[in-house]
Amino acid sequence: MNMSSVAAPLTVDAPDAEAPSGAPKHLSPNQRAWLRFKRNRVGYIALWVLVGMLVVSTLAELIANDLPFVARHEGRWYFPMIHNPTDRELGGDFDTQVDWHDPFIRSNIAKPGNFALFTLIDHSARSVNNFALEADPAKPSSSHWLGTDESGRDLLARLIYGFRVSVWFGFALMLTGIAIGLLAGAVQGYFGGRIDLAGQRFIEIWNSIPELYLLIIFASIFEPSILLLLVLLSLFGWVSLSDYVRAEFLRNRGLEFVKAARALGLSNWQIIWRHVLPNSMTPVITFLPFRMSAAILALTSLDFLGLGVPSPTPSLGDLLRQGKENLDSWWITVPTFALLVLTLLLLTLIGDALRDAFDTRKS
């Protein structure tokens, strides 16, 4: 029988049932999911608000810094963010780097012909105004919009820098968890049998290890750092995701397109990468915001307990700890708690919107 004479399957140009009203026909599943996500106004706005906060915090050095962008003193130009001049170069008596909060330096810069262009917040996360008149922690004022912490550091600058540390740590922990979870779940779900059984027994044993005790032990042996926390938390953050991926692979490996790929002679890894994995990404994508929320809460909790990043590094957990130790200093606790709640709320709204967008039962 001549195969060319076989009639092609009949196709009907019907409107795309998954595409929203007014959308172009024949959209890909990802395009339809993006359109459904945009229709969820709350989640869509939450995404852009979180992106805006992330951009601001990523550019923190250009927004909150005790060093000016550019300065001019007696005809000479300085760029302190690149090279901070000495106190003597600006009319002082010392050869140390200039302190731009020094009233004497400020008065010299204010003279005719001299000037300095500061950032919006003229404090960094670690700078301390040694010439402040109030005891620390100081209340909000014109020089410190949200007050200072117990060490005299500007609270608003600490919040901006601490938010950056928390969010980027969450991104890094989320990516490592995805990489390990995808690999473990894909191998178990696709091959099944003894490999799946051995993997499940290993996960059960691994989950029985007390994670907090392990962190306490390592914190007592090694100097706390973000890298150490990332490695330790990554060892346990992949388990929940691997279960979702395993379930998707177990469901998809028996479908017709996988059988057809095997019949064409593709290797197992080619089938996994080209065919099964793209059709198993829905739970992974919807899992991302919630995994990131868990990572931020984990870092905040460890910092609060003193097991997180070193003290000079700005963190939301350290500010909450300071607020607990200084209950009368409400300006430490309230803004920090509000920022943490807002971040988790935005991630939750984005996660709910993603879950609805990739739910094919909703049009």
Side-chain angles (χ1 to χ4, degrees):
M1 179 178 178
N2 189 0
M3 296 300 296
S4 62
S5 62
V6 178
L10 179 62
T11 59
V12 180
D13 293 335
D16 193 342
E18 294 292 337
S21 177
K25 301 177 181 179
H26 308 298
L27 296 175
S28 67
N30 291 332
Q31 290 174 327
R32 292 196 298 267
W34 173 246
L35 290 178
R36 285 196 295 269
F37 179 82
K38 291 178 65 176
R39 285 193 303 170
N40 190 323
R41 294 299 181 186
V42 175
Y44 188 65
I45 293 174
L47 174 63
W48 284 109
V49 171
L50 183 63
V51 169
M53 295 170 61
L54 182 58
V55 171
V56 170
S57 63
T58 303
L59 302 176
E61 284 79 7
L62 303 179
I63 298 173
N65 203 325
D66 57 331
L67 302 176
F69 291 107
V70 60
R72 186 176 186 271
H73 180 261
E74 296 183 355
R76 298 185 62 183
W77 293 88
Y78 302 94
F79 299 92
M81 289 188 181
I82 301 175
H83 176 70
N84 195 24
T86 63
D87 186 72
R88 191 182 300 277
E89 291 180 83
L90 296 184
D93 300 324
F94 306 100
D95 292 324
T96 57
Q97 289 187 336
V98 62
D99 184 354
W100 292 93
H101 292 120
D102 188 343
F104 176 77
I105 299 297
R106 290 291 180 115
S107 63
N108 280 351
I109 292 298
K111 293 179 180 179
N114 301 338
F115 83 97
L117 178 61
F118 286 90
T119 55
L120 179 64
I121 304 169
D122 59 347
H123 302 277
S124 67
R126 302 187 182 187
S127 64
V128 178
N129 187 0
N130 297 314
F131 303 93
L133 300 179
E134 297 185 20
D136 299 315
K139 295 181 179 180
S141 62
S142 58
S143 57
H144 298 281
W145 298 348
L146 292 181
T148 63
D149 64 1
E150 60 185 12
S151 299
R153 296 168 295 202
D154 186 77
L155 188 65
L156 181 55
R158 299 282 293 179
L159 286 176
I160 296 175
Y161 282 81
F163 177 80
R164 180 175 67 180
V165 171
S166 299
V167 173
W168 283 115
F169 178 85
F171 268 121
L173 187 58
M174 179 185 67
L175 292 178
T176 54
I178 289 174
I180 302 175
L182 278 177
L183 179 61
V187 170
Q188 292 182 77
Y190 182 80
F191 294 101
R194 294 182 178 179
I195 295 178
D196 184 30
L197 182 62
Q200 287 299 103
R201 298 293 81 78
F202 171 78
I203 289 177
E204 291 175 0
I205 297 173
W206 193 254
N207 271 336
S208 65
I209 299 176
E211 183 179 357
L212 182 59
Y213 289 163
L214 189 64
L215 288 170
I216 294 175
I217 293 172
F218 274 88
S220 62
I221 298 175
F222 302 100
E223 183 179 356
S225 64
I226 295 180
L227 180 60
L228 178 62
L229 289 176
L230 180 61
V231 172
L232 292 178
L233 294 179
S234 298
L235 294 177
F236 300 91
W238 57 272
V239 176
S240 56
L241 178 61
S242 68
D243 292 336
Y244 290 104
V245 177
R246 170 180 172 269
E248 287 294 314
F249 269 74
L250 286 172
R251 180 178 65 87
N252 291 330
R253 70 172 185 169
L255 298 180
E256 296 298 327
F257 70 91
V258 177
K259 296 179 181 179
R262 289 199 188 100
L264 291 174
L266 296 180
S267 65
N268 289 327
W269 292 109
Q270 287 177 322
I271 296 174
I272 290 175
W273 181 258
R274 297 181 185 178
H275 301 284
V276 186
L277 182 59
N279 291 280
S280 305
M281 290 299 292
T282 296
V284 177
I285 296 175
T286 56
F287 186 78
L288 298 185
F290 303 105
R291 176 58 190 154
M292 189 170 174
S293 299
I296 293 175
L297 277 178
L299 180 63
T300 303
S301 302
L302 292 174
D303 290 338
F304 182 82
L305 296 174
L307 301 174
V309 297
S311 180
T313 305
S315 67
L316 301 181
D318 180 66
L319 290 176
L320 290 176
R321 180 193 59 79
Q322 293 187 35
K324 179 184 72 71
E325 296 175 355
N326 301 273
L327 295 179
D328 55 336
S329 303
W330 57 266
W331 55 88
I332 299 178
T333 306
V334 173
T336 306
F337 185 75
L339 178 60
L340 183 61
V341 170
L342 176 61
T343 304
L344 299 180
L345 177 62
L346 292 175
L347 289 171
T348 302
L349 294 176
I350 295 171
D352 290 338
L354 284 175
R355 182 182 57 193
D356 294 340
F358 283 90
D359 187 354
T360 56
R361 296 171 298 178
K362 296 186 178 182
S363 61

